């Protein structure tokens, strides 16, 4: 599973990180680090919750692709 990061939409709420701190990496100001995230299988559930918790819809789940 890949999470596509739409960095320009991120407003730094850190809700994704609260759900899955091992998946979502924030910068010093609390914004998500740019770049697609290849999620390990054992983190998929947490990553899914984190992506869904983003109020800005900055995290898009891509189930069937490989990392760019
Ligand atoms: S929850 Fe969304 S807006 Fe907040 S830090 Fe994560 S990606 Fe950015």
């Amino acid at each position: 599973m890949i999470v596509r990061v739409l960095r320009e939409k991120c407003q730094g709420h850190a809700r994704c990180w609260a759900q899955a701190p091992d998946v979502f990496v924030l910068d010093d100001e609390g914004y998500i680090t740019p770049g697609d995230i290849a999620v390990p299988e054992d983190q998929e559930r947490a990553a899914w919750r984190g992506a869904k918790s983003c109020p800005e819809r900055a995290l898009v789940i891509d189930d069937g692709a490989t990392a760019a």
Side-chain angles (χ1 to χ4, degrees):
M1 176 178 128
I2 303 294
V3 176
R4 309 239 174 243
V5 175
L6 308 178
R7 174 62 177 77
E8 67 280 2
K9 290 190 175 184
C10 177
Q11 295 296 319
H13 303 289
R15 292 193 196 174
C16 54
W17 178 83
Q19 293 288 342
D22 292 335
V23 174
F24 301 110
V25 179
L26 306 185
D27 66 18
D28 289 345
E29 281 155 11
Y31 289 85
I32 191 104
T33 303
D36 295 345
I37 302 166
V39 180
E41 218 167 292
D42 63 348
Q43 293 285 330
E44 285 189 355
R45 187 178 284 260
W48 189 87
R49 279 200 308 267
K52 293 296 171 191
S53 73
C54 178
E56 309 300 333
R57 297 177 195 257
L59 303 169
V60 178
I61 292 170
D62 188 339
D63 260 333
T66 51

